Amino acid sequence: MEQFLSYKEIQAKCEHLNTIYEIDEEKFYEVVEHWADQETAIETKLLASFSGLLQVVSNEIVRMEDVLDMKPSCRMGCAFCCYFPIIVNEMEAKLMKKAIEEFPEDRRGRMREHLAGYYDKYGDRLEQLNGIDFAADQNFKKKYITSQVPCVMLDTKTNQCMAYEIRPIPCRTYMNYADPKVCEENNMPKETVSFEFLYEQYMGALNEFLQFLYEGGDTGFIDYPNDVYKTDYLVNCFSPNELR
């Protein structure tokens, strides 16, 4: 029988992590420094840096789990956390959309079909959710998740993310090490762990790379620095007819 961690055990391990673990910031900057030196198109540099930094975030979480001897209980097809509000800045949204443009045509076609059905089904409820001010309302997450509107990237037939490899930091860093039932039985379970503090290193390296490109006079499809300061719900960054 599989053994899951209790809430107290998870708390103790996370507290211990704070005393013994140091984030390897160099790994983040190595990604952008590598692509800064490459003789290739700006768009290629941006997408490769974006994907590389997301992978570094995932790798860092694995390192922390190894240090603490923790294994996530999240399973394929488990999508309870995919009903949380996901907030990104305009730069991240543009990078996601450009990355999706590189997906095979059949995959993009499935996404176009999905988006059309999604906005048709949830359009009215999304208008209501947009009235929840995530910048001012401390309870915005609870209010949003109780609506049970799934993430725009969730295929509810399979309970799988349609853009898993480029999923944003909030999705990538939210983990469960307790019994999976805590997610099934609670909208906001206390047992779950967020490694979202890694956003600081991820965005710091990405921002430094954009500064470098800006100083060179070409930031590609990113309107820098304006896109860094525009934030919104991820669902508002896509539209039914947007994907080529």
Side-chain angles (χ1 to χ4, degrees), residues 114-166:
H114 164 77
L115 288 177
Y118 179 90
Y119 287 103
D120 183 59
K121 181 177 182 178
Y122 297 108
D124 292 340
R125 292 162 70 182
L126 289 171
E127 287 186 16
Q128 296 177 348
L129 291 175
N130 276 325
I132 304 175
D133 187 345
F134 59 80
D137 191 339
Q138 293 184 344
N139 294 316
F140 81 93
K141 288 184 179 180
K142 183 176 182 179
K143 292 179 180 178
Y144 194 104
I145 197 172
T146 53
S147 72
Q148 284 299 282
V149 172
C151 174
V152 65
M153 289 296 157
L154 178 67
D155 182 344
T156 54
K157 295 179 181 178
T158 63
N159 263 0
Q160 294 182 23
C161 177
M162 302 190 78
Y164 186 77
E165 62 267 49
I166 54 167

Side-chain angles (χ1 to χ4, degrees), residues 174-238:
Y174 186 83
M175 311 293 290
N176 182 23
Y177 301 95
D179 191 319
K181 288 184 178 180
V182 302
C183 294
E184 181 180 355
E185 297 171 354
N186 303 276
N187 283 339
M188 298 181 66
K190 64 182 181 180
E191 291 87 353
T192 53
V193 176
S194 173
F195 296 102
E196 202 167 352
F197 52 80
L198 292 170
Y199 185 82
E200 181 180 348
Q201 286 74 26
Y202 152 84
M203 184 52 63
L206 196 54
N207 186 62
E208 183 171 293
F209 187 46
L210 264 296
Q211 286 181 344
F212 168 77
L213 296 178
Y214 181 78
E215 291 168 1
D218 186 0
T219 57
F221 55 87
I222 304 296
D223 178 16
Y224 184 82
N226 296 328
D227 285 347
V228 177
Y229 299 105
K230 297 177 185 176
T231 56
D232 203 348
Y233 291 116
L234 177 65
V235 66
N236 292 333
C237 300
F238 288 83

Side-chain angles (χ1 to χ4, degrees), residues 74 78-86 145 151 170-171 174-175 183 187:
C74 306
C78 173
F80 297 108
C81 59
C82 297
Y83 290 79
F84 275 90
I86 302 301
I145 197 172
C151 174
C171 314
Y174 186 83
M175 311 293 290
C183 294
N187 283 339

Side-chain angles (χ1 to χ4, degrees), residues 17-173:
L17 182 71
N18 291 332
T19 64
I20 65 170
Y21 192 83
E22 184 174 346
I23 297 171
D24 191 352
E25 294 188 2
E26 288 187 9
K27 293 294 183 183
F28 292 85
Y29 290 94
E30 284 175 0
V31 172
V32 296
E33 288 169 2
H34 168 78
W35 286 105
D37 293 334
Q38 300 303 304
E39 294 293 333
T40 188
I42 296 295
E43 181 174 308
T44 301
K45 291 184 177 187
L46 286 168
L47 290 179
S49 295
F50 173 59
S51 298
L53 288 171
L54 289 176
Q55 188 58 53
V56 172
V57 169
S58 295
N59 293 345
E60 197 69 22
I61 293 173
V62 171
R63 288 182 62 219
M64 287 187 273
E65 290 172 338
D66 288 343
V67 168
L68 295 176
D69 191 25
M70 296 171 66
K71 293 183 179 180
S73 55
C74 306
R75 298 290 185 266
M76 182 74 73
C78 173
F80 297 108
C81 59
C82 297
Y83 290 79
F84 275 90
I86 302 301
I87 299 165
V88 297
N89 63 36
E90 185 68 16
M91 177 172 66
E92 294 173 285
K94 285 183 176 180
L95 286 164
M96 285 187 68
K97 285 185 276 190
K98 275 292 182 183
I100 290 172
E101 288 179 14
E102 301 297 317
F103 288 176
E105 172 55 32
D106 61 335
R107 186 176 178 185
R108 294 201 309 277
R110 290 194 298 273
M111 293 186 74
R112 283 194 295 267
E113 183 178 352
H114 164 77
L115 288 177
Y118 179 90
Y119 287 103
D120 183 59
K121 181 177 182 178
Y122 297 108
D124 292 340
R125 292 162 70 182
L126 289 171
E127 287 186 16
Q128 296 177 348
L129 291 175
N130 276 325
I132 304 175
D133 187 345
F134 59 80
D137 191 339
Q138 293 184 344
N139 294 316
F140 81 93
K141 288 184 179 180
K142 183 176 182 179
K143 292 179 180 178
Y144 194 104
I145 197 172
T146 53
S147 72
Q148 284 299 282
V149 172
C151 174
V152 65
M153 289 296 157
L154 178 67
D155 182 344
T156 54
K157 295 179 181 178
T158 63
N159 263 0
Q160 294 182 23
C161 177
M162 302 190 78
Y164 186 77
E165 62 267 49
I166 54 167
R167 66 196 186 282
I169 298 299
C171 314
R172 193 171 291 264
T173 56

